[in-house]
Amino acid sequence: MAVHKAGRKAGRVATAVAAAALIGVAASACGPGDDNGSDNGKGGSVSEKPESSSSSSSSSSSGTKSPESDAPEAKAPPAAGAQLADVPASVKGGVITVGDPKAKHTVKVYEDPRCPFCKKFEDGGAQALVKPVADGKVKVEYTIASFLDSNLGGSGSVNAANALRASVEAGKFPQFHAAVFANQAEDESDDAYTPAFLLKIADKVEGLRGGAFDKAVTNGTYKKWVGQAMESFSADGIKGTPTVFIDGKKSADGGLYEQAAFAKELKAAGIS
């Protein structure tokens, strides 16, 4: 497992990963640094900015540019996410649940938005969950961590977690969750998830942008919940992301990053 230490520079992280690959040790997760407890489990602080006078990405009537006008353009989320458009999402404590609450099977997923291995999971193994969740056979419980802000500096993980929580209220969590990971920075040390960029990402999810959502993203409305989610992550004893449990059994790291391999694990648990 590749564990990121607080204060480690991006160049050292890249060098360590490359060295691991050369000696045949497969890096497979991101982990909290030794001093992750320095923020008392709160996961950092949300970047707070004045609310935009417009809920869209265009300029206001006064000619003042909206906050996201200088943010980079966002990529569209994977098309598969559309299959989850009608799937309910709810919040209990620090956990976001997607799918029928009465579903027979439960998959627990622990992620940090800035973790590149979480993106690898979302691009790979997680795709095998789309149809079973849409069919009501399984529910997915997400615990969104934000320790990489402490490890690498910045507040991107906290900002993204706050925005993800806001998307639940807007009824668009599955689609926005997919869009957030689709727009993850190539270098995890790049603190790319600013409120402005998250609003640009939200533009790629039909029906998500609106006054309440935009205000929550810009002002950090759910920053207390972000801390609660980080506390849930720590309380569950999770040491790295992504960590996935299928009906209480930890998934093998090697099976997380390939859709076929993870589908095989799901099938073994009776999920297909």
Side-chain angles (χ1 to χ4, degrees):
M1 176 179 293
V3 179
H4 301 285
K5 300 298 183 181
R8 179 175 292 174
K9 294 182 179 181
R12 293 183 61 191
V13 173
T15 300
V17 173
L22 286 174
I23 63 176
V25 178
S28 60
C30 301
D34 290 342
D35 63 350
N36 186 55
S38 63
D39 61 358
N40 298 315
K42 300 302 181 183
S45 61
V46 176
S47 295
E48 297 187 19
K49 298 182 179 181
E51 182 183 357
S52 168
S53 59
S54 171
S55 64
S56 69
S57 59
S58 60
S59 300
S60 68
S61 58
S62 64
T64 302
K65 293 193 299 183
S66 59
E68 67 271 23
S69 60
D70 292 328
E73 289 302 318
K75 302 173 185 176
Q83 297 180 48
L84 302 177
D86 296 325
V87 174
S90 59
V91 178
K92 184 176 182 180
V95 178
I96 296 173
T97 299
V98 175
D100 185 346
K102 297 179 180 179
K104 179 180 178 181
H105 301 281
T106 302
V107 173
K108 293 182 68 68
V109 176
Y110 297 84
E111 297 178 319
D112 186 304
R114 291 175 72 179
C115 174
F117 298 104
C118 293
K119 175 175 171 54
K120 190 175 179 181
F121 167 64
E122 289 298 330
D123 290 344
Q127 296 303 304
L129 281 169
V130 174
K131 189 176 187 303
V133 171
D135 290 344
K137 296 179 180 179
V138 61
K139 61 183 178 292
V140 183
E141 297 179 350
Y142 291 96
T143 301
I144 308 297
S146 48
F147 59 83
L148 280 175
D149 287 349
S150 295
N151 290 11
L152 301 169
S155 54
S157 289
V158 172
N159 291 339
N162 172 73
L164 286 164
R165 174 63 181 83
S167 72
V168 177
E169 300 305 313
K172 301 288 183 178
F173 175 82
Q175 305 97 303
F176 186 59
H177 176 262
V180 166
F181 278 99
N183 285 277
Q184 186 187 81
E186 291 186 8
D187 186 339
E188 64 187 308
S189 66
D190 183 359
D191 190 28
Y193 288 132
T194 63
F197 185 46
L198 288 161
L199 291 176
K200 278 288 190 72
I201 295 172
D203 279 331
K204 300 298 181 180
V205 178
E206 185 177 358
L208 177 54
R209 293 293 300 272
F213 176 81
D214 289 14
K215 182 178 180 179
V217 172
T218 303
N219 293 354
T221 299
Y222 295 103
K223 62 182 179 180
K224 289 184 179 179
W225 179 87
V226 174
Q228 187 176 10
M230 190 63 220
E231 288 170 356
S232 295
F233 178 89
S234 300
D236 286 351
I238 305 302
K239 302 301 183 183
T241 57
T243 294
V244 179
F245 291 88
I246 303 173
D247 289 336
K249 181 180 179 181
K250 189 175 184 295
S251 175
D253 288 346
L256 295 177
Y257 306 121
E258 297 291 338
Q259 182 173 345
F262 194 62
K264 186 176 181 179
E265 286 196 53
L266 293 174
K267 186 174 182 180
I271 305 170
S272 59

